[in-house]
Amino acid sequence: MTTIAFYNIILFSSTFFVWFIKRLDTRLGRWICLSIAFLLVFIPSAIRYDIGTDYLSYLRIFETGSYIKYKYTEPGFYFVNRFVDGMGLHFQWVFVILSFIFTAVVFKVYPRRNDWLLHFLFFSMLWLFSFNGIRQAIALSWCLLALFYFFDKRYVYFFILTIIGSFFHQSALIICILGGLALIPFPYFFKVRIAPIIFIIILGVAFFSANKLFVYIEWFLNFLNLEKYAAYFGSSQHFRARDFGSGLGALAKFLFSIYIILNIKLYIDENENFWFLIILVFFYSLGVVLASNIVIFGRMADTFVVGQILAFYFLWDIPKNRYINRIVICTFILFLSLLFLKISFGIPTVYADPKLNPFQTIFSKDI
C-alpha cells in the first residue's frame, strides 16, 4: 500500500503545485512551485531501480553496447547511451537523462491557461506508462509540445519537434505524417458532417469485426516503413487475444472518445486546426477498441493518446455547452484517477508484469 499511496501522492501533489502557481503574485513564488512540481515527477522516474517492464532490457542494451543499432533509427536514444557509456558513468544516468527530457519537455508547455488540467491529464495517463516505455513517452512529450504549435499554425515548429520526438521513438513520425495530411483543405461540411459518420462506422466495424481491419493496418504500417511494428502481426507473443481485465476501462475510454468525435463541430468552430485533434482521437479510440481484443494494439492507442489528452484539455474552455462539457471532463478526471489507482497496484497479467509495485530506488531498492 505504501507504493500505491506514493504514486498517487506524486500525481495529486504535483497537480496541486501546478494549480497553485497561478495563485501566487511573485515570480519567485511561481518559480518555486513549478520547480517542486517538476521535481515531484522527475526524481522518482530518475532514481527508480528495476521498475517497469523494460528496465532490465535497457540495462542489457547499455551493457552489451547494442544501443549502436539505434544510431540511425532513434539517434536521441543512441546518443544518451553513448554519452553515459563514453563518460564512464553508471547505467542509472541513462534513466536520469531520459526522465529529465520527458519531464522537461512537458513543463516547457507551462505556464498556460488551466495548466493544472493539462498536467493531470498528461501525467495520469503517461507517468506510470513512462516506467514501461520511456522512449515512447519522450516522443509523446515532444508531440504534445509540437501540437500546440500546430494549433497556432506554426507548422515548421510542429514538424521539427515531432521529428525530434522520432529521435527517441519512431512512432512520433506517425503524428508528423498525419499532421501533414491534416493540412489538406477538406471542406467544412465534410469535416463536421461526413467525417464523424465515417469515423463512427469504422469504429463500429472494429468493435464488431476487428479481424477485417487487421489486414489494412498491417499494410499501412508497412507503407509508412514501420516494419518493426508490422512484424508484430506475425508474433505469437504480441498478437494474442486479450484474456485479462473486465474491459470496462477500455469501454469508458471508447465512450469518452465518441463524445469528442460527436462534438467535432464545437472544436472546429473554435479552431479549424482542431480537425487534426479529432483525427488523433479517432485513431486513439480505434487503438483502444482493437486493444480490447488483441493486446499489442495498446501500442497504437499509446501513440495517439496525446490527442485524447488535448481534446479534453481544450474542451474545458469551449464556450458552447460548457456546463455539459465540464461535467464530462470531471467524470473523465474521476475515471483517470481510478484508473491511475488501479495501475499503481502493478498487477501482473498473462501478457506482462508491469513491475510497478513495490517501488524501488537505486539507493534503497525497496520502499
Side-chain angles (χ1 to χ4, degrees):
M1 290 300 294
T2 303
T3 295
I4 297 169
F6 174 70
Y7 287 148
N8 284 269
I9 289 172
I10 292 296
L11 174 63
F12 287 101
S13 61
S14 64
T15 302
F16 168 78
F17 280 108
V18 172
W19 170 83
F20 195 61
I21 290 171
K22 297 293 179 66
R23 275 72 190 169
L24 298 174
D25 296 326
T26 65
R27 184 176 181 181
L28 177 61
R30 292 193 294 269
W31 184 86
I32 291 174
C33 268
L34 189 65
S35 299
I36 293 173
F38 177 88
L39 293 174
L40 279 169
V41 291
F42 162 65
I43 291 178
S45 301
I47 65 174
R48 60 191 168 97
Y49 173 79
D50 196 17
I51 296 296
T53 304
D54 292 339
Y55 185 95
L56 295 181
S57 298
Y58 286 131
L59 176 59
R60 286 191 294 270
I61 289 172
F62 179 81
E63 291 181 337
T64 61
S66 57
Y67 55 79
I68 188 69
K69 68 182 180 180
Y70 295 94
K71 184 174 183 178
Y72 299 107
T73 56
E74 294 169 355
F77 177 67
Y78 160 80
F79 179 78
V80 170
N81 280 270
R82 183 70 184 88
F83 173 78
V84 173
D85 196 10
M87 294 294 291
L89 301 175
H90 188 276
F91 161 72
Q92 191 66 29
W93 280 99
V94 171
F95 277 96
V96 172
I97 296 172
L98 293 177
S99 298
F100 179 84
I101 296 172
F102 166 68
T103 311
V105 173
V106 177
F107 272 70
K108 180 66 174 64
V109 177
Y110 312 154
R112 189 174 294 272
R113 183 178 176 86
N114 299 319
D115 43 14
W116 67 269
L117 177 60
L118 179 62
H119 179 91
F120 179 84
L121 293 173
F122 186 88
F123 284 101
S124 65
M125 298 185 79
L126 289 175
W127 188 57
L128 293 181
F129 167 80
S130 72
F131 291 0
N132 292 310
I134 185 63
R135 289 187 297 122
Q136 187 171 11
I138 291 174
L140 288 169
S141 67
W142 283 105
C143 289
L144 179 82
L145 180 60
L147 284 168
F148 280 99
Y149 285 102
F150 185 93
F151 300 140
D152 289 337
K153 300 184 178 181
R154 302 169 71 180
Y155 304 121
V156 173
Y157 287 100
F158 165 78
F159 288 114
I160 290 175
L161 292 173
T162 51
I163 290 173
I164 292 175
S166 73
F167 289 170
F168 294 91
H169 200 275
Q170 291 182 338
S171 61
L173 289 175
I174 299 177
I175 304 296
C176 183
I177 293 171
L178 285 178
L181 295 175
L183 294 176
I184 297 174
F186 288 104
Y188 175 83
F189 179 81
F190 173 83
K191 292 179 180 179
V192 302
R193 298 297 182 186
I194 299 177
I197 297 174
I198 295 175
F199 292 160
I200 297 299
I201 290 175
I202 294 175
L203 291 174
V205 172
F207 189 84
F208 294 105
S209 186
N211 290 331
K212 293 181 179 180
L213 288 179
F214 293 155
V215 175
Y216 297 103
I217 295 173
E218 183 178 7
W219 173 87
F220 183 67
L221 290 172
N222 282 311
F223 174 76
L224 295 178
N225 201 32
L226 297 173
E227 292 89 353
K228 173 183 176 181
Y229 303 102
Y232 285 139
F233 284 78
S235 170
S236 59
Q237 176 185 359
H238 296 98
F239 204 77
R240 61 187 296 175
R242 186 183 187 94
D243 53 1
F244 57 88
S246 65
L248 292 178
L251 178 61
K253 293 177 184 178
F254 175 72
L255 292 177
F256 281 120
S257 298
I258 292 296
Y259 182 83
I260 298 298
I261 293 173
L262 291 178
N263 283 280
I264 186 173
K265 188 176 184 299
L266 294 182
Y267 284 93
I268 294 180
D269 287 346
E270 185 73 15
N271 184 331
E272 62 179 352
N273 278 356
F274 282 167
W275 162 242
F276 182 32
L277 187 62
I278 303 301
I279 292 174
L280 294 177
V281 171
F282 162 69
F283 280 110
Y284 170 77
S285 57
L286 181 61
V288 167
V289 172
L290 296 178
S292 66
N293 296 283
I294 302 297
V295 176
I296 193 57
F297 282 99
R299 303 284 184 93
M300 176 182 176
D302 296 335
T303 298
F304 301 106
V305 69
V306 287
Q308 186 84 335
I309 292 170
L310 288 179
F312 278 96
Y313 169 70
F314 287 118
L315 185 64
W316 184 270
D317 278 333
I318 293 179
K320 190 173 182 180
N321 299 332
R322 174 170 292 182
Y323 180 73
I324 296 175
N325 290 338
R326 291 194 173 182
I327 290 177
V328 173
I329 294 170
C330 290
T331 305
F332 187 59
I333 290 173
L334 176 61
F335 165 72
L336 290 181
S337 301
L338 295 175
L339 183 62
F340 186 88
L341 177 63
K342 176 186 176 182
I343 295 173
S344 64
F345 277 86
I347 302 173
T349 68
V350 295
Y351 178 65
D353 182 356
K355 297 173 69 176
L356 294 175
N357 198 332
F359 184 79
Q360 301 178 107
T361 73
I362 192 64
F363 305 110
S364 67
K365 299 185 181 181
D366 190 20
I367 286 185

